[in-house]
């Protein structure tokens, strides 16, 4: 879990408030931000064992669990905007993906946006050539690994909690983050440039231990479902507005220069990165990728 002052942190607190009010205190929700309880790799195990009941891990975390289809969300430039994204996360494709978690003892309830990712480094990143030889931090994901290699950079897996220090000490040269993560983790203090590339999406799935959820009294479960639906709308609304606000905050800090890409520069980056879709088709499932293209009108040729 990220910090309390990020969109996900605020949405979790909002869900807690609604759920506790609606169930008249019968359900008590404890929110643990900043990976306080479990590190990245342990949290899904803890959920499966029932040590925690509910999590909102980033979608990239399901690959190591054996549900590689979720890595489709890591594909660079597969969504151009929130409308295209929501056709998938709020439509039949998104629902079918969540169903795949059932066999793992996990029930997928909702998708929460964090937002679109931007590249940062200590030099302006405008063309694929600018990435060559840079050590770029990624979260554990075969797709993100392939994305960075397609740009000629060297992907470095690193836990989110270690990124600031990694950038500060030069263990990594750059990273990719939605502006809200970039700003709340103070990365603007250790990165000179932020390129508004919107090249990838970072989102979360709200998941519960299936046995726990199925064992709840139906009326309580219904109240939690209502609360979660509202919290999801809230999460997605503030993710968008906070990312926009945090770009402004980064600008105001005067520490990081914002790089805006021209349409031609963005197209060149996209051209360099779209081959990753075909490269990962065997892993993620070509049918799934094609169904998203169809849903959003994506054309890999332009």
């Amino acid at each position: 879990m990220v910090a309390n002052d990020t969109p996900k942190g605020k949405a979790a607190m909002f869900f807690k408030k609604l759920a506790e009010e609606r169930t008249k205190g019968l359900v008590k929700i404890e929110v643990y931000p900043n990976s306080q309880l479990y590190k990245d790799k342990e949290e899904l195990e803890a959920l499966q064992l029932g040590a925690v009941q509910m999590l909102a891990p980033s979608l990239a975390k399901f690959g190591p669990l054996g549900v590689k289809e979720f890595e489709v969300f890591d594909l660079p430039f597969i969504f151009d905007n929130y409308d295209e994204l929501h056709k998938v996360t709020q439509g039949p494709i998104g629902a079918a993906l969540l169903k795949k978690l059932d066999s793992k003892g996990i029930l997928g309830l909702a998708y929460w946006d964090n937002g679109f990712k931007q590249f940062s480094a200590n030099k302006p990143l405008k063309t694929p050539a600018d990435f060559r030889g840079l050590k770029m931090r990624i979260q554990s994901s075969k797709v993100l690994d392939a994305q960075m290699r397609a740009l000629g950079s060297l992907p470095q897996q690193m836990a989110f909690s270690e990124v600031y220090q990694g950038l500060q000490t030069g263990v990594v040269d750059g990273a990719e983050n939605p502006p809200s993560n970039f700003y709340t983790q103070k990365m603007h203090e250790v990165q000179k440039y932020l390129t508004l590339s919107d090249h990838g999406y970072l989102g979360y799935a709200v998941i519960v231990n299936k046995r726990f959820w199925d064992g709840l009294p139906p009326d309580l479960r219904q109240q939690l479902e209502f609360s979660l639906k509202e919290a999801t709308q809230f999460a997605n609304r503030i993710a968008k507005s906070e990312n926009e606000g945090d770009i402004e905050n980064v600008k105001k800090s005067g520490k990081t220069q914002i790089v805006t890409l021209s349409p031609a520069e963005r197209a060149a980056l996209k051209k360099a990165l779209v081959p990753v879709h075909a490269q990962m088709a065997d892993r993620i499932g070509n049918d799934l990728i094609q169904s998203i293209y169809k849903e959003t009108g994506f054309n890999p040729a332009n």
Side-chain angles (χ1 to χ4, degrees), residues 5 17 23 29 44 50 72 89 111 114 121 125 149 172-173 176 180 208 219 229 266 282:
D5 53 358
K17 180 175 170 291
T23 61
I29 293 170
L44 287 168
V72 79
T89 55
Y111 293 92
N114 184 323
L125 300 174
R149 289 182 197 281
V172 285
D173 300 311
E176 52 164 22
S180 66
V208 288
D219 55 330
K229 200 173 176 180
R266 191 168 190 270
D282 283 352

Side-chain angles (χ1 to χ4, degrees), residues 53 92 197:
Q53 290 78 39
S197 47

Side-chain angles (χ1 to χ4, degrees), residues 289-298:
I289 294 172
Q290 295 304 324
S291 69
I292 290 180
Y293 285 1
K294 201 172 160 198
E295 191 68 57
T296 63
F298 182 92

Side-chain angles (χ1 to χ4, degrees), residues 7 21 51 57 64 90 114 133 142 145 154 159 166 189 192 207 220 264 280 289 293 296 302:
E21 280 171 7
Q90 294 170 18
N114 184 323
K142 290 277 192 293
D145 189 274
L154 309 164
E189 293 176 357
K192 291 185 182 133
I207 56 176
L220 270 192
M280 290 287 133
I289 294 172
Y293 285 1
T296 63
N302 65 22

Side-chain angles (χ1 to χ4, degrees), residues 10-25:
K10 288 180 182 173
M13 298 309 286
F14 185 69
F15 171 66
K16 167 185 166 71
K17 180 175 170 291
L18 286 180
E20 290 180 348
E21 280 171 7
R22 291 217 169 118
T23 61
K24 311 225 178 341

Side-chain angles (χ1 to χ4, degrees), residues 3-300:
N4 266 340
D5 53 358
T6 56
K8 178 164 93 164
K10 288 180 182 173
M13 298 309 286
F14 185 69
F15 171 66
K16 167 185 166 71
K17 180 175 170 291
L18 286 180
E20 290 180 348
E21 280 171 7
R22 291 217 169 118
T23 61
K24 311 225 178 341
L26 285 173
V27 172
K28 188 159 169 30
I29 293 170
E30 292 175 12
V31 177
Y32 293 93
N34 287 330
S35 317
Q36 277 171 0
L37 275 187
Y38 297 100
K39 287 285 169 265
D40 284 3
K41 288 197 169 59
E42 302 161 355
E43 61 176 12
L44 287 168
E45 233 169 81
L47 183 86
Q48 286 173 299
L49 293 169
V52 288
Q53 290 78 39
M54 194 173 215
L55 284 176
S58 65
L59 298 169
K61 303 272 167 67
F62 297 117
L65 195 68
V67 193
K68 297 186 181 78
E69 292 91 338
F70 277 92
E71 292 176 6
V72 79
F73 290 106
D74 284 340
L75 288 174
F77 288 110
I78 193 161
F79 305 110
D80 267 337
N81 51 52
Y82 284 104
D83 288 345
E84 288 184 5
L85 166 74
H86 291 154
K87 280 181 182 169
V88 173
T89 55
Q90 294 170 18
I93 297 173
L97 280 171
L98 290 177
K99 282 298 287 174
K100 290 183 186 293
L101 297 170
D102 284 11
S103 64
K104 309 283 177 193
I106 293 171
L107 204 60
L109 299 178
Y111 293 92
W112 284 3
D113 292 342
N114 184 323
F116 287 98
K117 293 184 288 191
Q118 324 299 344
F119 286 121
S120 68
N122 286 326
K123 66 179 214 181
L125 300 174
K126 289 185 166 187
T127 70
D130 295 333
F131 288 81
R132 211 160 287 146
L134 291 184
K135 297 191 295 281
M136 298 292 285
R137 181 267 168 172
I138 55 165
Q139 55 172 340
S140 175
S141 157
K142 290 277 192 293
V143 177
L144 298 178
D145 189 274
Q147 164 190 288
M148 292 307 187
R149 289 182 197 281
L151 292 168
S153 61
L154 309 164
Q156 310 285 315
Q157 274 182 36
M158 187 181 272
F160 184 61
S161 54
E162 292 163 21
V163 180
Y164 178 90
Q165 202 179 355
L167 292 166
Q168 191 181 32
T169 54
V171 173
V172 285
D173 300 311
E176 52 164 22
N177 282 287
S180 66
N181 280 6
F182 184 81
Y183 184 69
T184 56
Q185 293 292 317
K186 300 187 169 37
M187 291 182 208
H188 60 290
E189 293 176 357
V190 288
Q191 292 276 267
K192 291 185 182 133
Y193 295 91
L194 182 68
T195 298
L196 302 184
S197 47
D198 281 348
H199 64 276
Y201 168 69
L202 181 64
Y204 308 103
V206 180
I207 56 176
V208 288
N209 175 294
K210 193 172 182 328
R211 209 171 43 237
F212 159 76
W213 196 253
D214 291 345
L216 286 172
D219 55 330
L220 270 192
R221 192 167 59 229
Q222 194 180 23
Q223 291 301 338
L224 290 175
E225 281 167 358
F226 283 151
S227 303
L228 187 65
K229 200 173 176 180
E230 271 182 59
T232 299
Q233 289 167 347
F234 173 81
N236 294 349
R237 191 169 64 243
I238 64 166
K240 192 167 182 294
S241 63
E242 299 223 344
N243 278 313
E244 287 163 4
D246 282 336
I247 291 172
E248 289 310 308
N249 287 332
V250 170
K251 268 185 201 163
K252 274 186 212 139
S253 77
K255 293 179 180 183
T256 301
Q257 204 172 316
I258 303 284
V259 178
T260 306
L261 297 173
S262 70
E265 285 167 339
R266 191 168 190 270
L269 267 187
K270 191 170 179 176
K271 194 175 176 195
L273 286 171
V274 165
V276 172
H277 297 199
Q279 212 181 321
M280 290 287 133
D282 283 352
R283 183 180 170 83
I284 293 169
N286 192 45
D287 290 352
L288 173 60
I289 294 172
Q290 295 304 324
S291 69
I292 290 180
Y293 285 1
K294 201 172 160 198
E295 191 68 57
T296 63
F298 182 92
N299 180 355

